[in-house]
Amino acid sequence: MNAITSPHDTHDTIRAVQWQGDHLRLLDQRLLPAEERWIDCRDAAAVTQAIKDLAVRGAPAIGIAAAWGVVMAAQQGAALEPVLATLRAARPTAVNLMWALDRMKARIAAGADAAALEREAQAIQDEDLAANRHMGELGAALIAPGSGVMTHCNTGSLATAGYGTALGVIRAGVAAGRIAQVYAGETRPWQQGARLTMYELVRDGIPARLIADSAASHLMKSGAVQWVIVGADRIAANGDTANKIGTYQLAIAARHHGVKFMVAAPSSTVDMATASGEDIEIELRDPSELFAVAGRRVVVEGAEAWNPVFDVTPAELIDAIVTERGVIERPDARSMQALFGA
Ligand code: MRU
């Protein structure tokens, strides 16, 4: 079972979303890396809560988890319309959630039973892994041998069905000798970079250094990185891209320093029904998430905070959008339409 079955497996060892036939097992991403604890979700309500609480997170992973939530509801004979609506409302920005639920809804409308819905959820999960592996090859091909890269948030196996989007490009780039050094930003306030990306990179033996989010411009000025590579939660029809808060400032800094900026995401992240980034809803989370570090309050009582957890990078700051359908360089509405139009 541990045999290496493809070249990808040398740099990809985690599966955080695991279907068990009648329930969904999730690796609790709030506790990593201190603790590898698994949660067993036994109904759609538990999956909804896990998505809201960030026990499962990352755009593709929440779509996949939601699809399994629908399967459990069908197995249990629950009314599916309210389940679809509740799951859909769990988080607003990542369109993969709505995309996966729309796929399940279409199968329900076509009369699918629980077994057919199970096959659809499995297809969503399997297709995501395949897309990531293909994107990895496409993205890595853009990077000159021996490059340094920076990434933000966590876009790896934990955030997807496996392998990762931006982290998939990094995995493929490292395997091909194109990437010599990875820098990961901490990603306050949830520290997805510090806790999760470093966990994946260290486990897979990839040369990686953590930086404070505020060190990014200084890093770029030093010449140590040639690409910033990030994932996406929603890509609008003109190429504007919503991703983890802090991505926009990385894109501005990258352009200023002549560093290239790559977005890697499956086509399930592309939302051609949303014209531009202006129309993307940005999730606002509880301000209290900013008041504590590692569970200990560090901000004076009575303080206020503003906690948007995504931002939008305008298409003109993006050098390449890499999807499993192909690469768009310098994206705009026309090139997006050519690849993703009906
Ligand atoms: O709040 P999160 O951790 O769900 O945010 C995740 C991100 O912003 C990722 O960069 C994005 O979902 C792409 S993951 C392949």
Side-chain angles (χ1 to χ4, degrees), residues 29 51 54 56-62 91 94 96 128 132 135 151-160 164-167 187 190 192 195-196 230-234 242-245 247 264-266 269 283 285 309-310:
Q29 302 196 27
I51 294 171
L54 306 189
V56 58
R57 34 81 31 216
I62 65 175
R91 293 188 77 185
N96 306 61
D128 187 63
N132 291 339
M135 278 165 5
T151 191
H152 189 56
C153 194
N154 172 265
T155 63
S157 301
L158 292 166
T160 64
T165 57
L167 214 56
T187 321
W190 274 81
Q192 288 95 330
R195 293 190 303 104
L196 307 177
V230 297
D233 289 84
R234 191 183 294 237
N243 190 48
K244 179 53 56 193
I245 192 76
T247 302
T269 306
E283 180 180 3
R285 291 187 68 89
V309 299
F310 298 99

Side-chain angles (χ1 to χ4, degrees), residues 2 25 30 60 82-83 102 112 127 145 159 163-165 167 173 198 235 246 264 269 316 333:
N2 291 328
R25 184 161 287 173
R30 296 165 300 182
V83 164
D102 284 345
E127 288 168 26
Y163 201 62
T165 57
L167 214 56
M198 291 303 289
I235 302 174
T269 306
E316 57 264 29

Side-chain angles (χ1 to χ4, degrees), residues 113-334:
D113 61 7
L117 292 176
E118 186 171 358
R119 287 194 295 277
E120 187 70 5
Q122 191 62 56
I124 289 171
Q125 184 152 354
D126 293 346
E127 288 168 26
D128 187 63
L129 180 58
N132 291 339
R133 288 178 166 165
H134 188 43
M135 278 165 5
E137 303 294 334
L138 295 176
L142 302 175
I143 300 169
S147 291
V149 303
M150 177 180 175
T151 191
H152 189 56
C153 194
N154 172 265
T155 63
S157 301
L158 292 166
T160 64
Y163 201 62
T165 57
L167 214 56
V169 172
I170 289 172
R171 287 191 157 100
V174 170
R178 292 177 177 274
I179 295 175
Q181 182 67 51
V182 181
Y183 294 86
E186 283 183 297
T187 321
R188 280 279 295 154
W190 274 81
Q191 312 245 54
Q192 288 95 330
R195 293 190 303 104
L196 307 177
T197 297
M198 291 303 289
Y199 169 81
E200 291 200 40
L201 292 172
V202 168
R203 266 177 75 122
D204 285 358
I206 292 174
R209 288 186 187 134
L210 181 66
I211 62 165
D213 293 324
S214 43
S217 292
H218 186 61
L219 173 71
M220 292 185 211
K221 192 171 76 172
S222 77
V225 293
Q226 284 67 54
W227 282 91
V228 173
I229 309 175
V230 297
D233 289 84
R234 191 183 294 237
I235 302 174
N238 68 347
D240 289 354
T241 294
N243 190 48
K244 179 53 56 193
I245 192 76
T247 302
Y248 176 33
Q249 65 193 19
L250 293 180
I252 294 170
R255 184 58 57 87
H256 181 79
H257 291 102
V259 171
K260 299 273 193 179
F261 190 88
M262 183 192 304
V263 173
S267 55
S268 53
T269 306
V270 174
D271 179 8
M272 293 300 283
T274 293
S276 80
E278 290 293 312
D279 307 313
I280 298 175
E281 183 180 349
I282 299 295
E283 180 180 3
L284 283 174
R285 291 187 68 89
D286 195 320
S288 68
E289 292 181 350
L290 290 168
F291 294 150
V293 174
R296 195 173 70 86
R297 186 164 178 122
V298 293
V299 180
V300 67
E301 294 292 341
E304 294 182 2
W306 180 56
N307 188 22
V309 299
F310 298 99
D311 58 28
V312 174
T313 298
E316 57 264 29
L317 292 179
I318 299 171
D319 292 290
I321 293 179
V322 176
T323 76
E324 82 281 9
R325 293 199 197 167
V327 175
I328 300 180
E329 297 197 38
R330 293 302 184 105
D332 58 18
R334 190 195 49 76

